[in-house]
Amino acid sequence: MNKLRIGIAGLGTVAQGVLDLVRTNGSLMTSRTGIELVVQRIASRSVKPGVDLLGAVFSLDVHDLVADPEVDVILELIGGEGLAKELIESALAAGKPVVTANKAVIAAHGDQLLAGGKVLLRFEAAVAGAIPIIQSMNQGLAANRIDAIYGIINGTCNYMLTVMEEEGLVFDQVLSQAQELGYAEADPTFDIEGIDAAHKLTILAALGFGTSYDYSALYVEGIAQITVEDIQYAKELGFKIKHLGIAVQSEVGLETRVHPALVPVSALLASVNGVMNAVQVVSDGAGEILFSGPGAGGAATASAVLADVLSLGSLFVAGPTDAAQSQVQGTPSSCAVSEISRVAMDDVFSACYLRIPTLDRPGVFAQVASTLSAHSISIEAVIQKEHPGGDGSVSIVIMTHIVVESVVNAALTELSALDSVVGEIIRIRVAPTH
Ligand code: HSE
């Protein structure tokens, strides 16, 4: 049996989940892997007297983890970019493997942190919580050309859209409810504006398509403009609204985008509800595979963190030097061979749902239709009902055929300027299909 001594930075929900899982399943992990996990040291800026540290030494300074010769592997569970990045860098420089759950730091600095190719840095927990998607992409699907990745990768957004659909609650009510239940943060900006999902998609795109870890290259929209009305109209048209991360290889390049999308009710992703996450990977050999499971929470995230620890441990118990010099199986690579050309959002093709709030008077629909026609946008379906607010306006809901983004943008600018259009036009793209 080989001891692997871990040092944990942070003592929040995920770190406590790791401690709980080591306590309850430590022996099981040893019997499976031959590795005995010992929590050697925990470092956190605040003391949490009620938490069982499993006999670990406690420090207030995370740098103590790097300095401690009795710590073999460091778990970076503090989040954020500043101190976390500093800790990862100093640990790697000292030859200590690092496991992190930190999507923000990898999405922004992955190229730098992984440079050199033999870096013992793992981040399974950074994408979709418990779902072993990183390992699956790196190893399980290593023989395939990846064609597309679609992900429901933010549990807060998925929960909110699900409750809006099932209970008819408006956005602000659902957000308060999600916060009360601990699904949404007190400051929900990262989740509802799509930033958290974009961090995760950045990582998935890097693994699937060899792009650089460049969060800023993605197109990002959140869910704040989605209303119960849109969800109901989408349903009438045969769709659910999901917040998706999409990385798809088209003839002209790679699309990487995060936004609400219409998904046919019959699609696998449409049945992933509540706080659940899912990632659908489409590849040439394996076809379509859907991974689904909990994307957040202490125990679920700890499961992914410890999977990384145990897989690193199997290398490390051979001896730190051997491990560092060995073929580092399972460590995600840094930037690919060559940077794939990304498709600008203006050049993306999709069918669109448009909800256009208009005055209820003769000729308005004709005006809207002729504006779309002037831009060669073809209409597939139309719904028109009185606005629930009863203010005399109506929502004209139009499904377009597939059209390029720049043309829709130009048409929306023109439609918005019409006197008969009395509010913001909502545009939701239909998810691509394979
Ligand atoms: N806040 C994230 C979510 C979980 O709602 O999915 C951690 O990434």
Side-chain angles (χ1 to χ4, degrees):
M1 191 201 304
N2 296 291
K3 276 198 171 124
L4 187 71
R5 299 163 300 180
I6 62 178
I8 304 178
L11 203 40
T13 311
V14 177
Q16 291 180 41
V18 166
L19 291 170
D20 286 344
L21 214 51
V22 170
R23 186 175 44 248
T24 53
N25 291 352
S27 312
L28 182 65
M29 293 179 218
T30 305
S31 65
R32 279 203 186 120
T33 63
I35 295 166
E36 183 194 354
L37 294 183
V38 176
V39 183
Q40 185 68 27
R41 185 180 281 273
I42 297 173
S44 166
R45 275 171 290 191
S46 56
V47 184
K48 299 223 167 111
V51 178
D52 177 359
L53 304 184
L54 304 183
V57 182
F58 183 82
S59 304
L60 289 167
D61 183 353
V62 296
H63 297 97
D64 292 351
L65 298 168
V66 181
D68 186 345
E70 299 199 343
V71 168
D72 300 318
V73 178
I74 293 178
L75 279 53
E76 184 282 295
L77 305 177
I78 48 183
E81 287 188 42
L83 183 59
K85 178 169 176 267
E86 191 188 312
L87 175 65
I88 294 170
E89 283 173 327
S90 62
L92 294 175
K96 295 202 180 193
V98 178
V99 172
T100 179
N102 189 330
K103 61 228 76 172
V105 85
I106 301 296
H109 308 288
D111 290 333
Q112 182 199 330
L113 294 171
L114 293 160
K118 285 190 177 171
V119 179
L120 294 165
L121 170 62
R122 301 276 174 100
F123 41 87
E124 182 66 73
V127 181
I131 302 174
I133 187 66
I134 307 275
Q135 198 182 30
S136 300
M137 299 283 297
N138 270 336
Q139 291 169 25
L141 294 172
N144 292 267
R145 182 198 68 224
I146 306 296
D147 294 323
I149 301 170
Y150 305 105
I152 295 176
I153 42 183
N154 184 267
T156 305
C157 287
N158 204 37
Y159 173 81
M160 290 182 64
L161 292 172
T162 302
V163 175
M164 285 168 77
E165 181 200 338
E166 290 177 356
E167 298 177 25
L169 297 181
V170 300
F171 188 88
D172 288 342
Q173 286 175 309
V174 186
L175 180 55
S176 304
Q177 192 190 82
Q179 284 168 325
E180 276 161 30
L181 290 167
Y183 296 150
E185 306 283 341
D187 176 1
T189 316
F190 261 44
D191 291 320
I192 62 178
E193 291 190 357
I195 298 163
D196 174 79
H199 286 150
K200 295 166 180 166
L201 187 71
T202 299
I203 297 171
L204 292 175
L207 299 178
F209 299 98
T211 55
S212 54
Y213 288 84
D214 181 8
Y215 156 77
S216 67
L218 272 66
Y219 174 83
V220 185
E221 260 181 39
I223 60 166
Q225 87 280 20
I226 304 294
T227 64
V228 172
E229 209 186 341
D230 295 312
I231 291 171
Q232 291 308 325
Y233 287 137
K235 203 174 194 174
E236 286 182 39
L237 292 160
F239 295 94
K240 279 209 184 187
I241 299 177
K242 293 290 180 190
H243 188 249
L244 289 191
I246 299 170
V248 60
Q249 181 75 57
S250 75
E251 281 169 18
V252 286
L254 182 71
E255 298 173 12
T256 46
R257 47 194 172 107
V258 170
H259 54 73
L262 264 64
V263 175
V265 286
S266 57
L268 287 174
L269 284 172
S271 61
V272 177
N273 291 317
V275 287
M276 283 295 165
N277 277 202
V279 181
Q280 183 170 14
V281 182
V282 185
S283 64
D284 56 352
E288 287 183 29
I289 300 186
L290 183 76
F291 302 85
S292 178
T301 312
S303 161
V305 168
L306 287 169
D308 275 347
V309 171
L310 292 168
S311 95
L312 272 174
S314 62
L315 289 173
F316 198 77
V317 290
T321 311
D322 291 351
Q325 287 173 0
S326 71
Q327 175 66 31
V328 186
Q329 289 180 343
T331 292
S333 60
S334 62
C335 181
V337 249
S338 63
E339 179 64 12
I340 288 175
S341 83
R342 302 221 195 203
V343 181
M345 198 57 203
D346 264 0
D347 299 329
V348 164
F349 283 79
S350 45
C352 289
Y353 161 104
L354 304 175
R355 178 168 57 81
I356 308 164
T358 67
L359 294 175
D360 189 9
R361 68 178 186 211
V364 172
F365 180 78
Q367 236 180 350
V368 167
S370 90
T371 305
L372 293 175
S373 163
H375 289 269
S376 304
I377 297 175
S378 170
I379 295 174
E380 183 178 317
V382 177
I383 303 176
Q384 183 176 335
K385 289 188 180 150
E386 271 195 34
H387 192 279
D391 60 358
S393 70
V394 290
S395 280
I396 297 177
V397 173
I398 290 177
M399 286 294 294
T400 74
H401 283 286
I402 289 178
V403 55
V404 71
E405 187 89 359
S406 56
V407 167
V408 180
N409 291 342
L412 293 189
T413 304
E414 213 169 298
L415 284 170
S416 300
L418 296 174
D419 289 344
S420 51
V421 172
V422 292
E424 191 194 351
I425 301 174
I426 301 301
R427 171 251 309 269
I428 309 173
R429 302 165 188 91
V430 177
T433 45
H434 266 85

